[in-house]
């Protein structure tokens, strides 16, 4: 077994280390979500935490880690006789993003269950993590069906396995820790709320600190065992402090002044529900115990708010997480009372040097584009070269803000796909309604009971059946085929040329695209953004699961110049070709946002229509959002949609009330093209 990097050797990342230590002191805090860029020691710190956790007393021989002081009466390995127990280190169980449902919750031996009526159960990762840590790296990429199982277990403290009338239940209470890179997509709100604390991490910009990071990492890679031995004393000191804080925790008093501050803070930041208040109370109590105090002070409440509230006050996926610290201080001051016991801890009124703002951290010192051209009001259509009147240089105008987003209905891809689980288009999935059966390919995961019995029934006499049991063999088993929803690749192709440069119109266009991005976030799609203006097209954002990254690129999008529509379509077609090689199962939906005009070169409209026919030849589902304005309409966007084999819709028709017939149009047109 490899030697983990010592927790106390992690350089910087004070908030991350404090949040993990508070959960070690009080697992009731509810876990930690660590958000940050790659290469910031997120996984290293989490994996190092398990070495600091106190040992766990378990019933000897129990696969479900029952507490000998109060064993689970419904434990599948029970009932347990009092007496024999053993102490083992706390486990840290890692849940891979690509794990199967059976690996997470456990699996039943279906053949024995049918033939013998025996509940032969193999525990999964939830059983292994009971009374320990369940760690999910890249938790934002976890499939929805696994997220649902995690939510159930976190809410009920137990895991249930139900298969064809056979039921198994076992306790599953664990400390949930997740790490994620926000650039790869966000978490579902339900799972986000289940994490007690959240921490934002980033690499230090201080050269000396970066040097120390490299120095320690190289020393660890050269000799992991020797490096860990040099930090053994610091590790032991922190481990002893965790034990002492756990023992002190029941004696910590959460007074009415602190409770009022907690309630007022949660109300001031408009968090949903009451979970935030409870988590803040538990976190403030753990902070006091970690500092060696028996009274919760105002600084504990403040630190608890900074850890427990940022991810609970977000209103939509495009709001940046965080907390207004000035507003927090004003709220705490307004509702603060006299902190009883503060004079006993420090007669001078200074914060405890061992508190969260002082020496409460583990020891650190060990042995070893172009700029915008400014706002140029567009007072009419641009000239033939795509340059708005009064524009400077190449006609580029400063970015405009998007209009307020609105609710849209789904634009789905026709047919039946087999892509990643999501909420947009119909697909064959591991979860959903049962539509039929087939012979299993590899391990059986979802038994179709009726089809299995039907396959086995004709052979009972030949197999010498006697008695009531059904003689079932491997060849009789049938896998259930199910239909659910998949996520798609929604590729936006946005016209940012001079013909779109009227500020009011571009604001409405950005608002429409932002609305569709919000819909893509909710439906678990990947998104990409291609823009065209001037003389070329650019991939502003390669296909990604980070919808808020697409929103940020859209917000800063400048406009002006010619309209190379053909170049934009060809670049989008190339993006789809590359993505098809990377993920052939994920079907695309192309959304072209343009007024249909094309300039530059010879016969620009004909070139654009020729490029559009490439999408029709590949049967790619497409929608053209017609942005043409003014009393005289040329209908070029409609012609483009016809060449794409898709449909055209105006900005007004994108709204939920007017879009009902659009899905049928997209599907019908795509079928005709096929």
């Amino acid at each position: 077994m490899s030697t983990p990097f010592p927790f106390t050797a992690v350089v910087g990342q004070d908030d991350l280390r404090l949040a993990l230590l508070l959960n070690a002191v009080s697992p009731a805090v509810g876990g930690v979500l660590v958000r940050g860029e790659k290469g910031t020691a997120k996984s290293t710190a989490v994996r190092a935490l398990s070495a600091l956790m106190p040992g766990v007393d378990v019933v000897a021989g129990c696969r479900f880690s029952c507490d000998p002081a109060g064993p689970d009466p419904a434990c599948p390995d029970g009932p347990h006789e009092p007496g024999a127990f053993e102490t083992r280190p706390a486990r840290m169980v890692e849940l891979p993003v690509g794990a199967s449902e059976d690996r997470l919750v456990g699996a039943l031996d279906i053949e024995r269950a049918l033939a013998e009526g025996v509940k032969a159960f193999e525990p999964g990762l939830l059983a292994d993590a009971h009374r320990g840590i369940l760690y999910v790296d890249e938790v934002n990429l976890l499939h929805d069906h696994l997220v649902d199982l995690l939510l159930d277990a976190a809410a009920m403290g137990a895991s249930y396995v139900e298969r064809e009338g056979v039921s198994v239940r076992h306790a599953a209470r664990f400390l949930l820790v997740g790490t994620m890179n926000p650039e790869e997509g966000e978490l579902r709100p339900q799972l986000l709320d289940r994490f007690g604390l959240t921490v934002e991490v980033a690499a230090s910009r201080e050269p000396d600190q970066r040097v120390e990071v490299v120095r320690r990492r190289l020393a660890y890679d050269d000799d992991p065992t020797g490096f860990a031995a040099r930090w053994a004393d610091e590790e032991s000191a922190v481990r002893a402090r965790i034990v002492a804080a756990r023992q002190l925790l029941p004696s910590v008093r959460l007074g009415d002044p602190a409770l009022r501050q907690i309630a007022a803070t949660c109300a001031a930041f408009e968090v949903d529900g009451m979970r935030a208040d409870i988590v803040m109370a538990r976190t403030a109590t753990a902070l006091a115990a970690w500092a060696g105090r028996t009274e919760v002070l105002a600084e504990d409440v403040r630190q608890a708010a900074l850890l427990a509230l940022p991810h609970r006050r977000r209103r939509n996926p495009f709001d940046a997480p965080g907390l207004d610290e000035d507003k927090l201080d004003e709220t705490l001051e307004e509702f603060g009372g006299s902190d009883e016991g503060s004079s006993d801890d420090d007669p001078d009124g200074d914060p405890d040097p061992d508190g969260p703002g002082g020496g409460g951290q583990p020891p650190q010192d060990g042995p070893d584009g172009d700029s915008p051209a400014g706002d140029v009001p567009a007072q009419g259509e641009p000239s033939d070269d795509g340059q708005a009147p009064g524009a400077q240089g190449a006609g580029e105008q400063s970015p405009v803000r998007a209009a307020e987003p609105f609710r849209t209905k789904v634009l789905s891809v026709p047919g039946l796909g087999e892509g990643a689980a999501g909420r947009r288009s119909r697909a064959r999935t591991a979860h959903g309604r049962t539509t039929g059966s087939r012979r299993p390919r590899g391990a059986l995961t979802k038994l179709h009971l009726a089809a299995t019995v039907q396959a086995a029934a004709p052979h009972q006499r030949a197999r010498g059946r006697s008695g009531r049991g059904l003689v079932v063999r491997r060849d009789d088993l049938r896998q259930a085929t199910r239909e659910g929803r998949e996520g798609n690749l929604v590729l936006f192709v946005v016209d940012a040329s001079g013909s779109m440069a009227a500020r009011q119109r571009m604001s409405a266009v950005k608002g429409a695209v932002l609305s569709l991005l919000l819909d893509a976030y909710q439906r678990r799609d990947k998104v990409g953004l291609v823009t065209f203006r001037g003389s070329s097209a650019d991939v502003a954002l390669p296909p990604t699961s980070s919808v808020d990254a697409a929103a940020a690129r859209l917000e800063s999008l400048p406009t002006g110049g010619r309209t190379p529509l053909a170049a934009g379509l060809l670049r989008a077609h190339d993006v789809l070709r590359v993505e098809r090689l990377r993920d052939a199962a994920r079907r695309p939906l192309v959304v072209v946002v343009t007024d249909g005009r094309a300039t530059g070169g010879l016969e620009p409209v004909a070139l654009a229509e020729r490029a559009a026919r490439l999408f029709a030849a590949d049967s790619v589902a497409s929608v053209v959002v017609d942005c043409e304005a003014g009393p005289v309409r040329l209908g070029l966007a409609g012609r483009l949609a016809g060449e794409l084999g898709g449909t055209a819709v105006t900005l007004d028709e994108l709204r939920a009330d007017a879009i009902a017939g659009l899905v049928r149009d997209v599907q019908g047109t795509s079928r005709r093209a096929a």
Side-chain angles (χ1 to χ4, degrees):
M1 183 176 179
S2 60
T3 303
F5 193 91
F7 186 87
T8 51
V10 174
V11 179
Q13 309 298 7
D14 292 347
D15 287 343
L16 168 59
R17 293 183 297 117
L18 178 60
L20 292 171
L21 289 170
L22 292 177
N23 276 273
V25 171
S26 176
V29 166
V32 186
L33 174 64
V34 187
R35 298 165 44 95
E37 59 196 25
K38 49 189 174 292
T40 48
K42 301 188 299 293
S43 300
T44 298
V46 173
R47 292 189 175 102
L49 176 67
S50 60
L52 301 178
M53 299 287 285
V56 179
D57 292 337
V58 298
V59 173
C62 178
R63 298 175 298 167
F64 301 89
S65 303
C66 278
D67 186 350
D72 182 6
C75 177
D77 284 355
H80 298 300
E81 297 294 332
F85 72 94
E86 58 187 8
T87 301
R88 60 163 175 77
R91 290 175 179 164
M92 191 188 74
V93 178
E94 294 197 38
L95 171 60
V97 169
S100 66
E101 178 182 339
D102 287 348
R103 184 70 187 97
L104 178 61
V105 301
L108 291 170
D109 189 330
I110 300 297
E111 293 181 67
R112 291 189 64 190
L114 284 175
E116 305 173 30
V118 176
K119 294 182 182 179
F121 180 69
E122 184 67 26
L125 296 177
L126 290 180
D128 293 341
H130 179 47
R131 304 177 66 203
I133 303 171
L134 182 63
Y135 171 47
V136 190
D137 193 13
E138 306 294 352
V139 64
N140 51 323
L141 304 182
L142 201 63
H143 290 303
D144 277 354
H145 67 283
L146 297 181
V147 171
D148 293 338
L149 294 170
L150 276 181
L151 288 172
D152 289 343
M156 297 183 292
S159 174
Y160 292 84
V161 182
E162 305 282 351
R163 289 276 182 87
E164 286 74 36
V166 180
S167 176
V168 175
R169 175 218 168 269
H170 65 82
R173 291 182 294 276
F174 46 82
L175 182 63
L176 182 61
V177 180
T179 55
M180 60 174 282
N181 183 349
E183 294 179 355
E184 297 172 338
E186 288 292 346
L187 276 179
R188 280 173 53 182
Q190 298 94 329
L191 183 58
L192 185 65
D193 190 51
R194 282 291 169 184
F195 286 96
L197 310 179
T198 186
V199 177
E200 295 280 337
V201 297
S204 172
R205 299 296 183 259
E206 292 293 331
D208 291 343
Q209 197 170 67
R210 295 176 74 96
V211 166
E212 186 61 22
V213 170
V214 175
R215 182 181 291 120
R216 293 187 188 182
R217 185 69 212 190
L218 293 177
Y220 171 77
D221 290 341
D222 289 341
D223 183 11
T225 303
F227 183 81
R230 291 195 292 275
W231 289 87
D233 291 343
E234 286 77 6
E235 293 281 286
S236 297
V238 174
R239 191 179 299 111
R241 187 172 176 183
I242 292 173
V243 173
R246 280 193 173 190
Q247 294 172 347
L248 182 62
L249 189 64
S251 303
V252 175
R253 178 177 177 271
L254 183 64
D256 286 344
L259 276 173
R260 283 180 56 81
Q261 287 182 319
I262 289 171
T265 301
C266 292
F269 285 100
E270 300 180 357
V271 298
D272 295 328
M274 295 297 299
R275 183 173 284 121
D277 303 64
I278 296 171
V279 171
M280 270 192 67
R282 289 171 173 167
T283 305
T285 303
L287 280 162
W290 176 249
R293 289 185 269 102
T294 57
E295 187 80 17
V296 173
L297 304 181
E299 59 259 34
D300 299 325
V301 176
R302 186 182 192 278
Q303 183 68 60
L306 294 174
L307 294 172
L309 296 189
H311 62 302
R312 291 189 164 88
R313 63 173 299 271
R314 300 183 65 192
R315 291 305 177 193
N316 66 62
F318 309 132
D319 288 340
L323 220 58
D324 184 340
E325 295 194 31
D326 291 337
K327 180 178 179 180
L328 174 61
D329 291 336
E330 291 173 3
T331 304
L332 293 176
E333 183 177 355
E334 179 181 356
F335 290 89
S338 58
D339 286 316
E340 298 175 15
S342 58
S343 59
D344 294 335
D345 290 323
D346 189 350
D348 297 328
D350 295 330
D352 191 318
D354 289 332
Q361 302 297 331
Q364 282 298 296
D365 297 324
D368 290 324
D370 294 333
S371 60
D375 283 351
V376 182
Q379 300 179 357
E381 290 293 346
S383 58
D384 291 339
D385 65 356
Q387 187 164 320
Q392 300 176 5
E396 180 175 307
Q397 298 189 28
S398 61
V400 299
R401 294 188 61 84
E404 192 69 22
F406 50 84
R407 186 174 62 88
T408 67
K409 288 187 178 179
V410 62
L411 300 173
S412 64
V413 178
L416 194 63
E418 294 183 344
R423 301 190 186 93
R424 183 173 294 278
S425 305
R426 293 174 55 222
R428 298 183 185 92
T429 60
H431 301 269
R433 63 185 182 89
T434 301
T435 58
S437 65
R438 60 172 173 81
R439 291 181 180 273
R441 305 184 189 103
L444 178 73
T445 56
K446 293 291 183 181
L447 178 74
H448 194 296
L449 181 59
T452 298
V453 172
Q454 187 175 6
H459 309 291
Q460 296 304 296
R461 181 175 296 179
R463 294 173 182 174
R465 171 187 171 184
S466 61
R468 302 176 60 184
L470 186 68
V471 181
V472 179
R473 295 181 179 172
R474 173 70 185 175
D475 290 343
D476 302 326
L477 298 179
R478 295 293 183 269
Q479 176 85 21
T481 57
R482 303 191 175 204
E483 182 178 312
R485 294 280 169 178
E486 68 176 359
N488 297 109
L489 166 59
V490 182
L491 182 61
F492 294 91
V493 186
V494 180
D495 184 349
S497 66
S499 66
M500 302 280 288
R503 299 185 70 82
Q504 185 175 0
R505 188 194 317 175
M506 199 60 200
S507 177
V509 167
K510 285 188 175 183
V513 178
L514 197 64
S515 303
L516 291 169
L517 283 171
L518 180 58
D519 180 69
Y521 165 78
Q522 294 167 340
R523 300 187 186 282
R524 311 295 285 179
D525 293 316
K526 289 181 70 175
V527 297
L529 179 62
V530 174
T531 64
F532 56 94
R533 57 181 290 271
S535 60
S536 63
D538 298 311
V539 181
L541 183 71
T544 176
S545 297
S546 179
V547 176
D548 51 351
R553 302 290 173 87
L554 178 72
E555 191 71 25
S556 61
L557 178 67
T559 58
R562 295 179 180 270
T563 312
L565 177 56
L569 294 173
L570 289 174
R571 180 58 64 91
H573 188 268
D574 189 57
V575 170
L576 294 185
R577 179 185 59 80
V578 174
E579 280 302 303
R580 195 175 294 117
L581 297 175
R582 294 175 176 171
D583 188 359
R586 189 181 289 270
R587 298 185 295 162
L589 172 64
V590 175
V591 180
V592 185
V593 185
T594 181
D595 57 8
R597 300 185 184 188
T599 60
L602 298 175
E603 300 183 346
V605 174
L607 287 174
E609 292 177 348
R610 192 180 307 168
R613 286 194 283 273
L614 295 174
F615 293 85
D618 293 339
S619 298
V620 175
S622 58
V623 177
V624 176
V625 180
D626 184 358
C627 303
E628 192 173 22
V632 179
R633 296 177 180 269
L634 302 179
L636 295 175
R639 285 176 51 186
L640 178 64
E643 298 294 345
L644 285 166
T647 189
V649 57
T650 66
L651 288 173
D652 290 338
E653 290 171 339
L654 274 177
R655 297 185 177 273
D657 295 339
I659 204 172
L662 180 58
V663 175
R664 294 192 295 272
D665 293 340
V666 173
Q667 294 175 341
T669 307
S670 299
R671 290 192 188 99
R672 290 193 295 273

